[in-house]
Amino acid sequence: ANPIISLFKVFQSTTKPTIARVNGHAHAGGLGLMCPSDLAIDVDTATFGVPETTIGLFPMKILPYLHRAMPRRRLLESSITGARWSAEEAFEAGLLNRVVPAANLDEEIDTMLQSIVGRSPSAIRLGKQGFHAIEDMTLAQAFEYAQLALPNMARTGDAREGFRAFREKRDPHFRGD
């Protein structure tokens, strides 16, 4: 099997949040490796692009994730012309969650991690599964899926603990069940 495709499958199947820590330029396959991450934080000096047409190719291997991560016309323009974007342009196109100076990258990653750590592992796990499941559904199918998924989530130990903590006006202690 192709190692890149295998890595993409790992990204797709992991139940834990993934964060791309981008500390440099992300072109071609580098951009493709960033796209399947759930979140992306980048230094403000980086550039992004898919220059494959400059050597007679098109970014086919990473196209499925690029197509899901950014607006259609921006992707086609970049894929056809090989144009590069600044970090700010990539942020505006929805490829990045945060753009920070290089000196603040690790601090911003830590801040993002801290905002995740106290959340329900079961909610994140089931939520990510649901997110990926509805990506290619029609709107009607996605609503039907969501109506079935929510009651199942509400039966988890984490949801019961979250409801108890809310009623008792305290922080929840999630166990991931």
Side-chain angles (χ1 to χ4, degrees):
N2 183 302
I4 297 294
I5 302 302
S6 296
L7 183 57
F8 284 165
K9 288 179 181 178
V10 170
F11 273 105
Q12 188 75 17
S13 65
T14 186
T15 59
K16 298 189 189 271
T18 57
I19 302 174
R21 179 187 179 277
V22 185
N23 190 20
H25 304 298
H27 296 254
L31 178 58
L33 289 174
M34 184 189 86
C35 285
S37 295
D38 299 317
L39 308 167
I41 301 175
D42 173 55
V43 295
D44 57 2
T45 56
T47 59
F48 299 82
V50 281
E52 283 85 344
T53 57
T54 62
I55 59 167
L57 298 173
F58 204 81
M60 296 307 293
K61 199 176 279 189
I62 61 175
L63 198 58
Y65 277 108
L66 288 171
H67 197 274
R68 285 166 171 76
M70 63 183 301
R72 180 182 184 277
R73 283 189 167 64
R74 295 288 302 265
L75 173 58
L76 280 169
E77 177 186 358
S78 180
S79 296
I80 291 167
T81 67
R84 294 180 180 189
W85 322 295
S86 67
E88 194 58 41
E89 290 169 322
F91 175 79
E92 290 170 8
L95 282 172
L96 303 168
N97 296 88
R98 310 266 191 290
V99 175
V100 298
N104 298 16
L105 182 59
D106 289 334
E107 179 183 332
E108 191 66 27
I109 293 287
D110 288 343
T111 299
M112 180 70 75
L113 287 171
Q114 289 308 310
S115 70
I116 295 169
V117 169
R119 303 297 182 231
S120 163
S122 65
I124 291 170
R125 180 181 68 250
L126 294 170
K128 281 189 62 170
Q129 288 170 351
F131 182 87
H132 292 301
I134 67 172
E135 270 183 318
D136 296 320
M137 292 180 183
T138 65
L139 188 58
Q141 291 168 329
F143 279 124
E144 186 174 332
Y145 177 93
Q147 286 180 319
L148 297 172
L150 188 58
N152 288 330
M153 285 181 162
R155 288 192 270 280
T156 66
D158 277 1
R160 288 190 303 271
E161 166 60 14
F163 291 134
R164 267 192 307 274
F166 179 78
R167 282 192 311 273
E168 296 169 7
K169 300 183 189 317
R170 62 171 173 82
D171 290 336
H173 303 288
F174 295 121
R175 296 187 330 220
D177 60 347

